[in-house]
Amino acid sequence: MTPAPTPDPRAERTRAKLRRALLDECARRPLSEVSVAALVRGAGVGRATFYLHYADLEALAVDACAYVVRDAVDALHAWRGRPDPRSAPPALLAFFEGLPPHAPLYRALLSPGGQGPLGRVLHHDLRARSQAERELVGAPEAPLIASAVAATFTGVLADWLHGLIEATPEEIAHRVWRLLVTLNLSQ
C-alpha cells in the first residue's frame, strides 16, 4: 500500500527519489534482479532511509506504480452522461497506450487474473470509486456492479499485460470498454 501522506516535504522528496530510482533500475532489469543497494545508490540515500519509508522493494514498487492505479480509475470514470459502448473514452485509450514502457514492472506486481499487490490496490480503488459513482446517481446493485467492474478491469488488464489476450493498446481499450459499459448498464 502507499505510505500514509505526511506533511514533511523532505519525506516526500525522498520517496520520489526512491520511486524514480526504482523505475530507472526496472528499465534496465526485472524487479526480481533489483537490489536495495542499487536503489539507494541510484537515489542518493542511505539504506536505513529506504527502510524508514518502505518495508521492502515490493512496497516501493507498488508505491511507484500507484499512478497506474490512479490513472486507471480516472480513465474509467472520465465520461459523463450515457456512454458510447462502441468507443472508449480518450482517457482510457491514453491509459492503455501509456502502459508498454513499464509493462515488465507491472507484470511483476500484477499476476494473471489480476492478483498480486498492484492488482489488490487497483481492485480496491476501482471498486470504491465505481460504487460511489453508482450510489451517487442512484443506480441499482451498486456493490455488486462495482465488484464486477473492478474484477473485470483488473483481470483483463493483467491478462493483457501478460500476453494472454492479444490486442494493441487501442484494441484492448475498446474491448474492455464494451465489457464495462455492459456491466454498468445491467440492472
Side-chain angles (χ1 to χ4, degrees):
M1 301 301 271
T2 304
T6 177
D8 184 355
R10 292 172 299 167
E12 181 48 40
R13 279 194 302 272
T14 300
R15 285 193 295 272
K17 285 181 188 179
L18 288 165
R19 289 189 299 262
R20 267 192 309 278
L22 177 79
L23 293 174
D24 290 345
E25 284 293 319
C26 287
R28 292 188 289 274
R29 63 184 56 87
L31 178 62
S32 61
E33 296 177 13
V34 173
S35 69
V36 172
L39 267 176
V40 297
R41 205 172 27 255
V45 301
R47 192 176 188 90
T49 300
F50 171 85
Y51 287 108
L52 179 65
H53 295 282
Y54 298 101
D56 54 27
L57 280 174
E58 184 178 276
L60 169 58
V62 171
D63 185 36
C65 294
Y67 69 91
V68 172
V69 171
R70 287 188 302 274
D71 287 351
V73 171
D74 289 346
L76 287 174
H77 294 90
W79 55 275
R80 292 290 174 249
R82 191 153 180 92
D84 177 0
R86 295 164 291 154
S87 183
L92 188 60
L93 290 165
F95 168 76
F96 276 100
E97 289 167 354
L99 293 175
H102 295 294
L105 177 58
Y106 305 145
R107 283 191 296 270
L109 299 169
L110 186 64
S111 56
Q115 300 300 308
L118 190 59
R120 287 188 293 275
V121 172
L122 178 57
H123 186 276
H124 175 271
D125 290 1
L126 186 53
R127 185 185 187 285
R129 175 88 171 263
S130 184
Q131 182 170 340
E133 291 210 0
R134 286 187 69 80
E135 288 172 348
L136 184 67
V137 298
E141 302 285 355
L144 176 69
I145 301 301
S147 289
V149 165
T152 298
F153 183 79
T154 304
V156 170
L157 171 64
D159 288 355
W160 178 70
L161 285 168
H162 282 277
L164 300 174
I165 300 171
E166 290 188 29
T168 66
E170 182 179 356
E171 291 167 343
I172 196 67
H174 290 300
R175 289 164 69 186
V176 77
W177 179 248
R178 285 190 295 273
L179 284 171
L180 297 176
V181 168
T182 301
L183 283 171
N184 270 299
L185 295 178
S186 65
Q187 303 294 340

